[in-house]
């Protein structure tokens, strides 16, 4: 609890004090520029990485940044957030950001007993279990290069799954909505972007 109190004190006496007008404006509503979908990993801080202010991005955090294929009967938390972003806030840019050393990706290769007491986690990560076989064809399993390629493939898979949502499919085809994939290397602090025409990830800058 102490670290929260210290952090809040620093926020209130520092950042808030210096940006009081920003927060006063935000108290009347929000107008984010993008929907940012990323992992629940505690090491990923979108506002810090991209130096954004409160209100700039609507953020959805889910294990492994795994966007499931469209299914009306599946858990609706992702769908509900996307609908809110698109139809209520008018957002037209979506970013799906994966990262290095992703626990949800590595969990795909764990023995079943790893998921004892975590059946929902198992069900969630297995949404993308097909990518294991795809990546095995191009690299050596369980190497760092292998896991990075799985992390890349997971982002691409999530992009394609999001595009399968009926109301988004039309918007993408008509160029009304942009969906981009990003990858954050935690140790290096590097951000890569997926270039669809080249089918690979390249440095953002």
């Amino acid at each position: 609890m102490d670290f929260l109190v210290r952090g809040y004190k620093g926020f209130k006496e520092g950042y808030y004090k210096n940006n009081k007008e920003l927060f006063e404006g935000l108290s009347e509503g929000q107008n984010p520029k993008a929907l940012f979908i990323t992992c629940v990993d505690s090491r990923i801080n979108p506002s810090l990485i991209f130096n954004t202010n409160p209100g700039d991005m609507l953020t959805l955090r889910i294990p492994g940044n795994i966007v499931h294929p469209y299914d009306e009967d599946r858990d609706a938390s992702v769908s509900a957030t996307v609908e809110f972003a698109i139809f209520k806030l008018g957002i037209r840019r979506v970013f799906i950001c994966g990262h290095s050393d992703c626990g949800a990706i590595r969990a795909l290769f764990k023995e079943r007993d790893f998921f004892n007491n975590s059946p929902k986690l198992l069900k969630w990560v297995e949404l993308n279990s097909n990518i294991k076989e795809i990546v095995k064809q191009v690299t050596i399993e369980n190497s760092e290069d292998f896991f990075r390629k799985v992390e890349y493939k997971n982002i691409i898979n999530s992009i394609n799954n999001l595009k399968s949502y009926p109301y988004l499919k039309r918007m993408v085809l008509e160029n009304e909505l942009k969906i981009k994939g990003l990858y954050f290397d935690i140790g290096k602090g590097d951000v890569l972007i997926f270039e669809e025409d080249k089918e690979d990830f390249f440095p953002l800058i």
Side-chain angles (χ1 to χ4, degrees):
M1 187 67 184
D2 288 346
F3 80 96
L4 288 179
V5 174
R6 288 195 301 271
Y8 168 66
K9 184 178 180 180
F11 161 76
K12 197 63 187 293
E13 295 176 356
Y15 190 87
Y16 178 82
K17 183 177 180 180
N18 294 329
N19 296 274
K20 189 175 180 181
E21 290 185 3
L22 169 65
F23 285 93
E24 289 174 345
L26 290 173
S27 70
E28 299 175 1
Q30 60 173 321
N31 185 31
K33 302 176 180 68
L35 169 61
F36 196 90
I37 300 174
T38 193
C39 186
V40 297
D41 195 298
S42 63
R43 298 167 293 178
I44 310 304
N45 186 332
S47 295
L48 180 65
I49 296 168
F50 297 99
N51 195 29
T52 59
N53 287 319
D56 284 347
M57 295 192 299
L58 184 70
T59 304
L60 170 62
R61 305 190 72 133
I62 46 180
N65 45 271
I66 297 172
V67 176
H68 54 68
Y70 182 77
D71 185 341
E72 291 183 353
D73 297 323
R74 203 185 296 275
D75 174 65
S77 59
V78 173
S79 298
T81 302
V82 173
E83 288 177 4
F84 177 63
I86 302 301
F87 298 119
K88 301 305 178 184
L89 297 178
I91 288 174
R92 293 297 179 265
R93 285 182 289 181
V94 179
F95 297 98
I96 300 178
C97 184
H99 64 92
S100 60
D101 192 40
C102 183
I105 294 302
R106 295 180 186 240
L108 282 169
F109 303 89
K110 300 288 187 181
E111 299 297 331
R112 299 287 290 197
D113 59 8
F114 174 82
F115 295 95
N116 289 344
N117 304 317
S118 304
K120 294 294 186 181
L121 177 60
L122 173 62
K123 187 175 181 180
W124 188 265
V125 299
E126 285 191 337
L127 287 170
N128 278 5
S129 60
N130 64 304
I131 64 177
K132 291 192 297 184
E133 297 303 321
I134 296 172
V135 178
K136 280 180 184 179
Q137 299 171 17
V138 296
T139 189
I140 301 173
E141 185 175 355
N142 293 326
S143 67
E144 287 306 309
D145 180 60
F146 173 78
F147 283 121
R148 174 160 290 217
K149 283 186 167 60
V150 179
E151 289 158 354
Y152 285 174
K153 188 65 68 174
N154 177 54
I155 297 167
I156 298 168
N157 207 34
S158 288
I159 291 172
N160 292 333
N161 287 342
L162 191 58
K163 288 180 179 179
S164 75
Y165 287 35
Y167 52 89
L168 298 185
K169 184 184 297 184
R170 177 194 61 79
M171 295 179 72
V172 171
L173 287 174
E174 295 180 2
N175 208 31
E176 295 179 11
L177 179 71
K178 300 290 186 182
I179 302 176
K180 295 289 186 180
L182 301 172
Y183 181 87
F184 179 60
D185 186 311
I186 295 172
K188 295 180 179 178
D190 292 338
V191 174
L192 308 179
I193 186 167
F194 178 61
E195 299 288 355
E196 290 190 50
D197 57 337
K198 300 176 182 176
E199 298 184 346
D200 205 352
F201 286 79
F202 297 90
L204 184 62
I205 56 174

